[in-house]
Amino acid sequence: MPRYEYPSLRQGLVGCWVPSLGASGLSVIDRSGRGSSGTLVAPSSNTWTASGSGVALAFDGSTQYASLPFAGTFSASATLSMWVKRDAATPTSPDGNTGFFNANASDGGQESHYPYSDGTCYLRLLRSARTTFTPLSTVNRAQWHNLTVVTDGTTYAVYQAGQLAHSTAAEATVSLASPLHCARASSSRAYFCAASFDDIRLYNRALRLPEIRLLASRRGIGLQPLPDRAAGLPKKLFVNDAGTWRNGDAYVNTGSGWRLGVPFVNVAGTWR
């Protein structure tokens, strides 16, 4: 069985679309294991664009977007996370080039702008009622950064680059419908977004702050299996733990017992 760095980042995934893990033509591969690959609508030769971590999806703000289906159930908790880079930190046109994300077929349902031409963010992601906030001045939306929205039935929170940008009371249930429309704000009106996207993840649980900050640290984190062993190191098959033989590659002795080695590291004598 493969081992993963930060295995909790794979728990509760409903959909996971990460272009930087490899271009895939007219589709966007779902890395969650659920097989819900997305479709590129009106792509051009520039839709798959080079980025610092390989490739990303770039949309022109005119006709292009990605349709990302998912199959999953939600109660009161969910998380939507993505890496994004707007062509302009704040668009200037009143309507066109402002549509950012949509997750409902109805006009206005889940329609979100990040930001609108007035500089304000209008989000309906994971909720039915619109919430507004002023984005953090310390985050340049024209550069790659992570945007994560979390709701747990009590609090609805928005994080930019791992920093809390906005919080308000959550709705009792998650409002979300398949498919997600990436770079298009409505299904019935043509509000598109000129931006690049990568590492879009949908969870059926509310991520904790350390997990949110991990997602904001780099694209694709926790999705690639760890190598079985660094080249050239001797192979430890088993270790003897007080008469019990354990897999030597998987376990470390923390001083208080044997634990799985992948999630633990010794920091100044303390196993974390």
Side-chain angles (χ1 to χ4, degrees):
M1 179 177 294
R3 300 177 299 164
Y4 292 90
E5 180 185 31
Y6 309 114
S8 73
L9 295 181
R10 298 178 59 82
Q11 296 173 4
L13 272 175
V14 174
C16 181
W17 303 272
V18 189
S20 56
L21 293 183
S24 50
L26 298 179
S27 65
V28 188
I29 295 174
D30 175 22
R31 308 283 178 173
S32 71
R34 291 175 175 256
S36 299
S37 293
T39 302
L40 296 178
V41 179
S44 70
S45 59
N46 298 320
T47 300
W48 290 98
T49 186
S51 73
S53 59
V55 292
L57 292 177
F59 301 107
D60 62 6
S62 177
T63 59
Q64 301 172 349
Y65 66 99
S67 178
L68 308 176
F70 60 89
T73 58
F74 302 86
S75 53
S77 299
T79 301
L80 179 62
S81 177
M82 68 195 78
W83 278 76
V84 63
K85 180 178 70 170
R86 293 295 314 253
D87 280 10
T90 300
T92 56
S93 57
D95 286 324
N97 198 24
T98 62
F100 178 68
F101 228 86
N102 176 59
N104 193 298
S106 63
D107 184 16
Q110 295 285 315
E111 181 178 303
S112 297
H113 304 270
Y114 178 73
Y116 194 65
S117 56
D118 60 4
T120 300
C121 295
Y122 298 84
L123 296 188
R124 283 192 178 97
L125 298 174
L126 308 181
R127 59 188 288 125
S128 59
R130 185 176 69 185
T131 185
T132 65
F133 68 97
T134 301
L136 295 176
S137 60
T138 54
V139 176
N140 185 348
R141 293 177 302 281
Q143 295 181 355
W144 280 112
H145 65 283
N146 178 264
L147 175 70
T148 296
V149 179
V150 183
T151 184
D152 62 6
T154 301
T155 303
Y156 178 94
V158 182
Y159 294 84
Q160 293 178 274
Q163 306 170 65
L164 181 64
H166 173 66
S167 67
T168 189
E171 296 177 347
T173 58
V174 173
S175 178
L176 194 63
S178 178
L180 299 174
H181 281 169
C182 175
R184 178 168 182 163
S186 175
S187 294
S188 56
R189 291 185 293 179
Y191 288 178
F192 297 95
C193 169
S196 299
F197 290 84
D198 194 11
D199 199 349
I200 303 165
R201 307 190 194 197
L202 178 62
Y203 292 85
N204 61 10
R205 65 183 182 92
L207 266 61
R208 298 173 291 111
L209 181 57
E211 294 173 314
I212 294 168
R213 289 177 173 167
L214 281 174
L215 290 180
S217 67
R218 71 175 187 267
R219 290 177 270 172
I221 188 170
L223 296 177
Q224 295 284 67
L226 291 170
D228 287 338
R229 175 160 301 279
L233 290 180
K235 186 174 181 63
K236 296 192 307 178
L237 293 178
F238 294 94
V239 293
N240 192 309
D241 171 24
T244 299
W245 288 95
R246 301 182 183 275
N247 188 323
D249 290 333
Y251 287 85
V252 293
N253 194 315
T254 65
S256 59
W258 288 87
R259 302 188 180 185
L260 278 170
V262 174
F264 289 88
V265 63
N266 193 308
V267 181
T270 300
W271 288 91
R272 301 181 184 274

